[in-house]
Amino acid sequence: MVVQEMTREESIAMLSSRRLARLACVRDNQPYLVPCHYAFSDNHLYSFALPGKKIDWMRQNAHVCVQVDELGANRQWRSVVVYGRFEELPETPQWHRERMHAWSLLEQHANWWEPGSLKPPFASAETGSALIFYRIKIDSITGRHAHDEDDGSG
């Protein structure tokens, strides 16, 4: 088995092609890890949540880590880790454009509201709801992949 670094371009390509990640946040030296759906655009990961622990923690400590992976045949895998900062996109005139951008990116994919426990209301992003849209501004990104030595990958 050979483990190799992925280039930034390969890492971004993987982020762009996936939708499900694991989001880690920390409060009072206690980590918290949850799955989330996201959309990648212009050095940001866009997502949403309902009010709760994850949002409370990220509001107190904006530094987060996001991991996306893919398992393949013959023990092959790829993994990308992003370090970044939480930025809430509140329902205010100042953030309207970014909030609508997040909504438009996310709604392009079926079941974009999962793995949240509730489907968002049928109201549009403009009419208001309990949904909290946010983005993760990417500070750094790394990726690795593994393959058998004799499979010709590299």
Side-chain angles (χ1 to χ4, degrees), residues 1-70:
M1 183 59 60
V2 176
V3 177
Q4 295 179 311
E5 296 288 326
M6 293 167 57
T7 65
R8 180 174 174 82
E9 292 75 23
E10 290 169 330
S11 296
I12 288 173
M14 184 172 166
L15 279 180
S16 298
S17 70
R18 309 298 290 177
R19 299 289 162 248
L20 182 64
R22 289 163 194 85
L23 171 66
C25 50
V26 174
R27 185 175 80 179
D28 300 327
N29 293 320
Q30 178 66 45
Y32 182 58
L33 179 71
V34 293
C36 70
H37 275 192
Y38 71 93
F40 173 81
S41 176
D42 192 31
N43 204 48
H44 291 89
L45 301 177
Y46 289 86
S47 191
F48 86 99
L50 297 171
K53 185 175 187 174
K54 169 178 59 189
I55 295 298
D56 292 344
W57 285 32
M58 291 190 299
R59 284 175 174 162
Q60 288 188 10
N61 180 357
H63 296 277
V64 299
C65 182
V66 177
Q67 190 261 343
V68 176
D69 61 15
E70 175 180 83

Side-chain angles (χ1 to χ4, degrees), residues 120-134:
F122 290 103
S124 73
E126 295 178 12
T127 62
S129 69
L131 294 180
I132 298 167
F133 284 89
Y134 65 91

Side-chain angles (χ1 to χ4, degrees), residues 87-101 135:
E87 296 177 337
E88 191 166 343
L89 307 175
E91 289 188 71
T92 64
Q94 173 189 354
W95 289 98
H96 179 77
R97 185 168 180 234
E98 283 300 319
R99 188 175 171 88
M100 294 307 295
H101 180 61
R135 65 185 178 187

